[in-house]
Amino acid sequence: MEEKLSEVNSMSQMNKKDVLNALERIAVYLEIKGENAFRVSAYRKAAQALERDERPLSEIEDPSKLKGIGKGTAGIINDLLEEGETSLLKELEKEIPDGLLPLLKLPGLGGKKIGKLYQQLEVTDAGTLRKACEAGQVQELDGFGKKTEQKILEALEELGKRPDRLALAQVLPAAFDLRQRLASIDEIERFELAGSFRRGRETVKDLDFIISTEDPKTVGKRLVSMDHITEIIGHGDTKVSLELQYGDIIVPVDFRMVKDESFATTLHHFTGSKDHNVLMRQLAKERDEKISEYGVEEDTGTEHHFSTEEEFFAHFGLPYIPPELREGMDELERYDEKYELIEQDDIRADLHMHTTWSDGAQSIKEMVNVCRDKGYDYMAITDHSEYLKVANGLTAERLKRQHEEIRELNESMKDFTIFTGVEMDILPDGTLDYPDEVLKEVDFVIASIHSSFQQSERKIMDRLENACRNPHVAMIAHPTGRLIGRRKGYPVDMERLLEVAKETGTILELNANPHRLDLSAEWLKKAQDKGVKLSINTDAHRFDMLDYMTLGIKTGRRGWLKQETVVNTWPADRFKKLIWKNR
DNA sequence: GCCGTTTTCGGCCCGACTGTTTTCAGTCG
C-alpha cells in the first residue's frame, strides 16, 4: 500500500532530468519515424533551453517564455509535470518498438536508415537486425549495399563490448604520448589537442588533434605508421582516423590537417562544444557572416582568417572564452575579462596527499621538494587515519611522531610552510577516527568516507554532518566517493551538504584525481553560488600524481570557480587563520 | 516545432566523408 502511494507521487513529481529525458526520447522516436529533421531538433533545443535555465522546474511558470520553447513543447512539458506523462510520447512508444532506439548508437545508422529497416524488413531490435543482415536482405534495400550490411554486422558484434566514453584517466597516456610524437614531426607547424579533452570533460569519446601543415600527405603517412595503432579507420587528405592501444584501453583518435591560416578556426570548431558552435554561428549569421572551420566569410565573399582563437573571438566583439566554459549555455553573455576564473598560476598549495607513513610511495621530504619545485608556498601532509588498516593508517601515536618530523622539517625552511594534517575516516557509525584531544593538535584535519557505501542517504548524511560540525574538521575530501565509470559513490543529499558546509565553514574538496573529479563541475557551481569554500587537491600517492592539479583546475573552470572561492589560492597566513578560527 | 527591426512563411549551423549512386542522401562531429 505504502509503495503504491509513493509510486503515484513520483509519477506526478517528475524532476528536471525526467522531463529532459522524455523530450530526448520524443526526439529519438521522431527521428526513427523519419520526421522533419527540424521538428526533431526542436525537441532537443527545448530540452537544452530547460537545462540552460538554472531554476528548478517548479519555479519556471511558463516554459514557452524561454527561447526555443513554443506553445507545442510547453504543453508537453506541462503535461509531463502535471500528469507524469504526455500523449505524444505514449503514442510514439506504442507505434515504434523501443528495441530500435539503441540501434542509433551503431556507426553509420541514423534515424532514416533505421526507419527503412523497420518499415521494409520489420527489424525491431539488434537481434532481428542481425538476422536480416545474415539473410542478405539489408543489402537489397535502396541506399544500402554490401558494405553497409557488412559494417552493420561488425558494429553489432562490437555493440556493448566497449564503453561509449572513456574516463579522462584512461586516455591520459595516449594524450601524453601522441603530443610527444606530433612534436617530433618536422612537417607539422603547430598542433593542439581539441575536443572534450580540451574542455576538461570527465569523459571523452575520442581524442581530436588539430594540425597545421603545408604537407598533409607526408604528415598523414607518418601518422598511419606510428606505434600502438590497432586499426586505421580512415585516411583522407585532411583527416586521419585511427584506433590506438595503450595497455588494455583502445583509444579512437582523429587528426585534422589544415593550412596554418585556418588553424585557429579549426581548433575552435573541433573544441566545440557543438552547442557552443551553434551559438557562435547564430551570432555570425546575425551579422551576415558565416563561420566554418576554415574561417569567417562575409556575405560579400570576403574571407577572414585568424592566427589565434583570441583574434577569432575579438572579431565578434567577444573576449577569449576559455575552452572549459564552451558548453553552449550562457558563456557568451556571462563571461568577460573581469571574471576571475581560477588559473593554474593561482594555486599556492596542495592540501591533500599521502606519504610512506601510510599508503603513499614517497617520503615527506620527497613530496615537499616536488611541491616547492611547483612554486607552491605551502602544503599539507595528510596520511590516512587508524581505521584504514589496508592503507597502513596512522595510530594517534604514529601521527604524533609524524608531526614532529614535519615540524623539524618546517624549521629548516624560511619561505615555505608544511601544515601538519591527516585524512581521517568518518566511521560507519558516524563517529570520527580520533578523539578531539588528538585532533586539536593537528593543523589541517580532512574528514572522509571510505567505508559502508551501501548505507542509506540519511545515514550517510548523518556521518557527513557530524564531521562538518566537529570544530577541528576543516575539509570534507572527495564528498561523493565516486570513481568515474566504475563506482557511483555513496548517496549524498548534496544540497543539504552544501548548506551544512556553508553554515559550519567547512571546506569541500575538488579532488583532482582523474578517476574522481569529486565534486563535479555541476556541484562546484552550486557550491560557489551558495558561498561554500572549496579547495582543489591532488590526493597524490606518488609525486607524479601531484601533476593532477591541472586536471582539477580544468574541472574547477568548468564549474566557473573564481580564484577567491578556492582557499588554496590564498596566502599561507590567510589560510592558516581560516583553519584555526573556529577552535 | 520554433522564430521574426526580412514577422504568419520559409527558413532553421556548416562541411567532410561514405557508400551509394550516376548527382546525392545520410551520417557525423
Side-chain angles (χ1 to χ4, degrees), chain A residues 123-397:
Chain A
V123 164
T124 56
D125 54 24
T128 45
L129 176 56
R130 183 193 303 268
K131 276 189 195 135
C133 286
E134 282 165 354
Q137 295 172 302
V138 171
Q139 57 175 295
E140 303 296 328
L141 293 181
D142 277 355
F144 291 75
K146 269 198 167 149
K147 260 192 165 163
T148 315
E149 189 176 82
Q150 192 54 38
K151 281 207 159 176
I152 292 174
L153 271 176
E154 283 164 20
L156 280 170
E157 202 57 44
E158 288 296 310
L159 188 65
K161 266 194 195 168
R162 231 191 275 174
D164 274 358
R165 298 181 71 88
L166 297 163
L168 199 53
Q170 297 178 300
V171 299
L172 285 174
F176 183 78
D177 178 54
L178 289 169
R179 276 184 178 136
Q180 291 204 315
R181 283 163 193 270
L182 295 189
S184 74
I185 297 180
D186 290 337
E187 290 81 3
I188 292 178
E189 286 171 55
R190 47 178 170 160
F191 71 89
E192 185 106 45
L193 180 45
S196 38
F197 188 96
R198 184 166 181 241
R199 303 202 311 282
R201 289 269 317 247
E202 296 165 358
T203 61
V204 301
K205 207 164 142 272
D206 59 8
L207 297 177
D208 291 294
F209 282 93
I210 312 303
I211 293 169
S212 75
T213 175
E214 287 296 319
D215 188 0
K217 264 211 169 86
T218 307
V219 174
K221 266 191 215 155
R222 297 205 194 284
L223 292 177
V224 296
S225 61
M226 295 188 299
D227 294 341
H228 293 284
I229 296 176
T230 52
E231 199 174 342
I232 297 170
I233 308 286
H235 183 181
D237 293 340
T238 63
K239 177 180 165 183
V240 171
S241 293
L242 305 173
E243 282 183 355
L244 294 98
Q245 184 162 10
Y246 289 83
D248 52 1
I249 309 282
I250 301 230
V251 185
V253 187
D254 282 348
F255 302 88
R256 315 262 168 177
M257 293 168 285
V258 293
K259 288 200 168 135
D260 198 64
E261 62 175 20
S262 294
F263 182 78
T265 35
T266 306
L267 176 61
H268 176 265
H269 176 83
F270 285 104
T271 296
S273 67
K274 211 173 158 187
D275 293 337
H276 168 84
N277 289 351
V278 169
L279 292 183
M280 289 299 295
R281 284 174 183 205
Q282 279 166 348
L283 192 67
K285 216 176 152 72
E286 284 164 22
R287 307 159 32 122
D288 293 323
E289 293 179 334
K290 199 173 73 177
I291 299 175
S292 81
E293 53 224 81
Y294 299 108
V296 173
E297 192 185 333
E298 291 180 28
D299 64 354
T300 57
T302 314
E303 278 207 46
H304 295 274
H305 297 286
F306 310 93
S307 56
T308 62
E309 279 186 326
E310 280 86 348
E311 286 176 24
F312 167 75
F313 282 114
H315 176 83
F316 296 101
L318 290 167
Y320 172 76
I321 312 247
E324 296 91 340
L325 303 184
R326 299 183 199 164
E327 288 301 325
M329 305 291 274
D330 54 359
E331 65 267 19
L332 299 193
E333 306 97 66
R334 190 168 156 208
Y335 183 78
D336 61 44
E337 287 99 340
K338 276 177 272 165
Y339 194 98
E340 289 187 340
L341 195 65
I342 182 144
E343 295 174 21
Q344 178 70 37
D345 286 349
D346 295 330
I347 296 293
R348 296 188 182 212
D350 196 332
L351 300 172
H352 183 174
M353 70 189 70
H354 300 267
T355 72
T356 46
W357 281 80
S358 65
D359 60 348
Q362 261 86 33
S363 69
I364 296 176
K365 200 156 186 186
E366 287 172 304
M367 296 303 267
V368 169
N369 284 340
V370 178
C371 284
R372 294 190 73 177
D373 285 347
K374 284 184 172 296
Y376 297 158
D377 298 332
Y378 58 103
M379 67 191 289
I381 297 288
T382 55
D383 274 305
H384 288 290
S385 65
E386 194 165 4
Y387 178 82
L388 219 54
K389 298 275 189 302
V390 288
N392 191 23
L394 273 58
T395 60
E397 201 274 326

Side-chain angles (χ1 to χ4, degrees), chain A residues 8-166:
Chain A
V8 172
N9 262 335
S10 68
M11 289 261 287
S12 52
Q13 285 176 356
M14 269 200 155
N15 64 33
K16 202 171 192 173
K17 239 188 193 130
D18 296 331
V19 173
L20 299 184
N21 265 337
L23 291 172
E24 172 61 24
R25 279 179 75 85
I26 291 174
V28 172
Y29 276 120
L30 292 176
E31 210 175 339
I32 292 177
K33 266 190 84 174
E35 263 287 349
N36 177 306
F38 295 109
R39 188 181 169 212
V40 174
S41 77
Y43 287 97
R44 297 211 163 99
K45 277 187 190 159
Q48 271 169 31
L50 276 186
E51 201 177 8
R52 194 171 299 168
D53 197 298
E54 307 238 326
R55 291 172 295 174
L57 276 179
S58 53
E59 283 172 29
I60 302 178
E61 229 163 77
D62 181 5
S64 72
K65 289 222 170 85
L66 296 180
K67 200 170 146 66
I69 301 183
K71 244 175 145 184
T73 0
I76 284 167
I77 291 167
N78 285 330
D79 285 350
L80 288 167
L81 279 179
E82 285 156 26
E83 315 288 335
E85 56 185 29
T86 177
S87 53
L88 174 61
L89 185 53
K90 272 172 89 179
E91 275 159 30
L92 288 168
E93 281 167 347
K94 224 183 287 166
E95 190 183 336
I96 297 164
D98 61 359
L100 291 176
L101 269 48
L103 301 185
L104 275 173
K105 285 207 181 118
L106 297 175
L109 282 191
K112 295 251 168 67
K113 285 197 164 157
I114 291 175
K116 247 184 209 170
L117 291 166
Y118 171 49
Q119 278 148 23
Q120 299 186 25
L121 296 180
E122 291 172 3
V123 164
T124 56
D125 54 24
T128 45
L129 176 56
R130 183 193 303 268
K131 276 189 195 135
C133 286
E134 282 165 354
Q137 295 172 302
V138 171
Q139 57 175 295
E140 303 296 328
L141 293 181
D142 277 355
F144 291 75
K146 269 198 167 149
K147 260 192 165 163
T148 315
E149 189 176 82
Q150 192 54 38
K151 281 207 159 176
I152 292 174
L153 271 176
E154 283 164 20
L156 280 170
E157 202 57 44
E158 288 296 310
L159 188 65
K161 266 194 195 168
R162 231 191 275 174
D164 274 358
R165 298 181 71 88
L166 297 163

Side-chain angles (χ1 to χ4, degrees), chain A residues 504-539:
Chain A
T504 57
T506 309
I507 303 161
L508 296 185
E509 183 178 60
L510 159 50
N511 190 297
N513 186 304
H515 292 290
R516 294 188 183 272
L517 298 174
D518 181 8
L519 294 173
S520 68
E522 186 191 5
W523 286 115
L524 293 171
K525 212 174 191 175
K526 291 192 179 170
Q528 176 172 260
D529 287 348
K530 270 216 157 87
V532 175
K533 293 293 173 222
L534 298 163
S535 175
I536 306 178
N537 303 305
T538 63
D539 194 358

